Amino acid sequence: MRIDPKTEQECYAGLILPAGVYDFEVTKALDKTSKAGNEMIELQLAIYTDDGSMRYVRDWLMGSVAYKLRHFAYAVGLVTEYEAGNIEAIDCEGRSGKAKIVIKKDEQYGEQNRVADYIVPDAPATATPAARPAAVPPVPRGNAPLAEDDIPF
C-alpha cells in the first residue's frame, strides 16, 4: 500500500473545526453521573458545516454549568421541561439548534472541538399593541330612523 506520510498535526488537521457558530443535532444522549456524583446528560452532537460536512462533538450538561444547561434548553425547545426542573436524556435526542464551538487544547488528546455555549434564538419581537381603532357605532335596529352620518359605509 502506498501512503502519504503525515505529521501528527496533519493527521488531525481535517478533524478540527474552526471556532464559530454551527448548526447541530443531538444524535445520542445518555443520563449519567459525574465523577463528583452529580446528575448529568452526556450528548453526542452532529455538527454541520457550511460545506455540507459533519463532525461529532461530545458535550455534558450539568447543573453546575447553569448558563449552558439553560441555553441548551432554550435553544432546542425544552423550555417547559427546564422550567419544570426536569430534563431527561431522552428529551434531548433528535433536538437541534446552534452551538458556539471552540478549540480546546488537551494535554492527553491534543486540540479538540468543544461546545462553549448554545445559541438561544432571538425571541419574537414583542409587538407593541396597535392603536385601538375608534369604536364603530352600533347599527340601529328596529324602526329608528337613521341619520345620514350614522351610515357605516
Side-chain angles (χ1 to χ4, degrees):
M1 167 173 76
R2 292 199 43 84
I3 60 169
D4 181 17
K6 298 188 183 311
T7 66
E8 192 70 18
Q9 258 185 330
E10 289 172 328
C11 289
Y12 292 104
L15 300 177
I16 303 296
L17 295 170
V21 174
Y22 294 90
D23 291 326
F24 75 88
E25 180 181 359
V26 179
T27 57
K28 187 190 291 185
L30 300 169
D31 290 312
K32 290 199 165 186
T33 303
S34 72
K35 291 178 186 176
N38 299 315
E39 291 181 341
M40 69 177 185
I41 298 173
E42 181 180 326
L43 303 174
Q44 177 179 283
L45 306 176
I47 306 293
Y48 300 101
T49 64
D50 290 338
D51 68 5
S53 64
M54 186 265 301
R55 304 281 192 292
Y56 288 109
V57 174
R58 289 190 333 171
D59 194 27
W60 298 265
L61 301 176
M62 298 176 272
S64 61
V65 188
Y67 74 91
K68 197 172 177 185
L69 176 57
R70 179 183 172 86
H71 292 172
F72 174 82
Y74 276 75
V76 302
L78 290 173
V79 176
T80 303
E81 291 83 349
Y82 178 81
E83 295 297 333
N86 191 39
I87 295 178
E88 303 291 330
I90 193 72
D91 300 328
C92 303
E93 287 190 11
R95 300 289 179 147
S96 60
K98 291 189 177 289
K100 181 179 180 183
I101 302 297
V102 296
I103 300 171
K104 293 281 184 171
K105 190 161 191 147
D106 182 273
E107 294 264 336
Q108 186 175 359
Y109 300 108
E111 289 185 342
Q112 295 183 327
N113 286 125
R114 292 283 183 222
V115 177
D117 202 359
Y118 294 93
I119 308 301
V120 177
D122 292 335
T126 309
T128 55
R132 194 171 223 159
V136 177
V139 176
R141 304 259 181 229
N143 294 335
L146 285 174
E148 296 250 344
D149 291 345
D150 290 340
I151 299 174
F153 48 86

